[in-house]
Amino acid sequence: MSNLVQENRQQASERVVRDLHPAFYIALVGLTLWLGLAIWGFGYDGQTDYLLAIVSAVFFSSRSPSRQRWP
């Protein structure tokens, strides 16, 4: 019985996919750019543009977390 459980666990661990499809990342970047353009479209006065520039600078200057490997 113990052998069967170990084989099932091994088969289950082999089926786990840890990377997403490349099209997902392309879609994520495209949607992010689209959102940025949509948000900047609402800037109608100087103060709104100023605040959007600050938020955009903070967003683009922030460092993305490094990719962690699962054990």
Side-chain angles (χ1 to χ4, degrees), residues 1-68:
M1 184 75 172
S2 167
N3 250 349
L4 183 61
V5 171
Q6 288 177 352
E7 287 177 18
N8 284 341
R9 285 184 182 170
Q10 183 179 7
Q11 287 175 357
S13 67
E14 289 173 358
R15 285 183 264 165
V16 174
V17 177
R18 297 206 167 126
D19 292 329
L20 295 174
H21 195 274
F24 174 79
Y25 295 110
I26 293 169
L28 185 65
V29 169
L31 290 172
T32 302
L33 291 174
W34 186 21
L35 177 66
L37 289 173
I39 290 172
W40 273 93
F42 285 108
Y44 57 89
D45 63 352
Q47 186 176 8
T48 304
D49 290 339
Y50 175 71
L51 294 174
L52 283 173
I54 291 173
V55 170
S56 297
V58 169
F59 177 75
F60 286 116
S61 67
S62 66
R63 183 176 169 269
S64 64
S66 63
R67 218 173 142 185
Q68 295 179 353

